[in-house]
């Protein structure tokens, strides 16, 4: 009996989250705002990736919702670059949810542009929750190892675009690119996998092409 109750409660949590996420998505779409849920483990380079992308957003206004368990270091960095950014600290929760995003969207007072939502550094929970986004961007790195699609399949399965970061370090780390790609394609047949380096800027023109084409639709 208790097992059935637990399933019902969890289902209720997901249903409520998805309902709010759908409302956020419709509102953003109506206002001409394309939202990207940026996922990745701690240290994957989520903020550095956003900076590289934002630098290339010619004529498109960027906004960022920055999610962390604690601290606001990344928000301060983005604000110093003139990017309209708002901080969400979850105080221990391992992912952002749609009610949190809904409040942040209201506080940002968005106009037409692209909204990047940097989720909590975690390859598990963020993939389970819709938060009003139009696309999920997953950032993985060569320094994490090539086994990540096999260990964290849901994140790779749900991703609309996969960015393989820190590729400037490929000559110095043990990373089996074929093994990584085989794992990705077993889960996700369509998401582009783009090799980048936040240090050199390699690959970001291709990332920008994907984002701007999606945002036009």
């Amino acid at each position: 009996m208790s097992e059935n109750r637990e399933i019902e409660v969890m289902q209720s949590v997901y249903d409520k989250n998805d309902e709010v996420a759908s409302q956020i998505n419709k509102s953003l779409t109506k206002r001409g705002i394309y939202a990207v849920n940026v996922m990745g483990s701690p240290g994957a380079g989520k903020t550095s990736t956003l900076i590289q992308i934002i630098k290339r957003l010619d004529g498109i206004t960027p906004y960022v919702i920055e999610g962390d368990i604690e601290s606001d270091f990344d928000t301060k960095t983005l604000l110093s670059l003139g990017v309209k950014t708002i901080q969400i600290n979850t105080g221990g929760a391992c992912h952002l949810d749609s009610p949190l995003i809904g409040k942040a969207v209201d506080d940002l007072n968005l106009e037409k542009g692209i909204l990047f939502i940097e989720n909590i550094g975690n390859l598990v929970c963020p993939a389970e929750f819709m938060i009003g986004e139009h696309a999920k961007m997953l950032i993985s790195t060569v320094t994490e190892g090539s086994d990540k699609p096999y260990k964290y399949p849901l994140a790779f399965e749900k991703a609309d675009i996969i960015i393989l970061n820190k590729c400037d370090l490929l000559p110095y780390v043990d990373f089996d690119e074929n093994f990584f790609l085989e794992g990705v394609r077993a889960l996700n047949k369509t998401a582009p996998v783009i090799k980048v380096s936040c240090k050199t800027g390699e690959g970001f023109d291709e990332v920008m092409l994907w984002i701007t084409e999606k945002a036009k639709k």
Side-chain angles (χ1 to χ4, degrees):
M1 194 69 169
S2 62
E3 182 180 352
N4 288 338
R5 256 190 229 110
E6 288 176 9
I7 292 171
E8 288 170 4
V9 168
M10 181 57 72
Q11 189 61 47
S12 175
V13 169
Y14 279 113
D15 286 349
K16 179 61 177 176
N17 181 85
D18 290 352
E19 179 184 339
V20 175
S22 178
Q23 293 169 358
I24 294 169
N25 182 274
K26 289 175 183 176
S27 175
L28 293 175
T29 301
K30 187 175 180 179
R31 287 184 277 169
I33 300 161
Y34 187 75
V36 182
N37 182 359
V38 183
M39 306 183 302
S41 62
K46 295 184 292 297
T47 306
S48 297
T49 295
L50 289 185
I51 290 170
Q52 287 287 345
I53 292 171
I54 288 167
K55 282 164 53 176
R56 292 166 170 80
L57 282 178
D58 187 23
I60 302 174
T61 303
Y63 304 93
V64 178
I65 295 173
E66 184 67 42
D68 289 292
I69 291 176
E70 298 289 349
S71 84
D72 61 353
F73 298 117
D74 296 331
T75 290
K76 287 177 178 176
T77 298
L78 290 161
L79 287 171
S80 73
L81 298 173
V83 181
K84 195 170 184 179
T85 308
I86 193 167
Q87 179 73 44
I88 295 177
N89 289 125
T90 64
C94 59
H95 63 90
L96 297 175
D97 61 28
S98 56
L100 286 172
I101 298 304
K103 184 179 185 309
V105 166
D106 290 341
D107 291 344
L108 270 174
N109 192 26
L110 303 171
E111 298 178 3
K112 186 175 182 179
I114 297 181
L115 171 63
F116 298 97
I117 306 167
E118 183 176 332
N119 221 312
I120 307 300
N122 185 340
L123 283 176
V124 183
C125 303
E128 297 180 2
F129 287 81
M130 296 293 292
I131 52 175
E133 73 272 29
H134 296 92
K136 284 182 167 66
M137 173 185 290
L138 177 63
I139 301 172
S140 191
T141 74
V142 300
T143 53
E144 293 175 294
S146 49
D147 58 359
K148 291 301 167 286
Y150 304 89
K151 289 186 173 182
Y152 304 97
L154 187 63
F156 288 86
E157 179 184 344
K158 296 288 187 179
D160 296 290
I161 179 172
I162 298 166
I163 294 178
L164 183 59
N165 193 19
K166 305 185 183 182
C167 284
D168 53 298
L169 297 178
L170 275 171
Y172 312 105
V173 296
D174 184 13
F175 183 83
D176 187 333
E177 190 172 342
N178 287 334
F179 183 66
F180 175 82
L181 291 173
E182 286 171 4
V184 169
R185 289 300 171 229
L187 299 163
N188 190 326
K189 305 295 185 187
T190 59
V193 179
I194 303 175
K195 296 167 63 175
V196 307
S197 166
C198 289
K199 184 174 182 178
T200 68
E202 170 195 350
F204 280 101
D205 288 343
E206 189 176 352
V207 174
M208 278 305 307
L209 181 62
W210 187 91
I211 291 174
T212 52
E213 285 299 316
K214 292 292 183 181
K216 287 177 186 177
K217 295 180 180 179

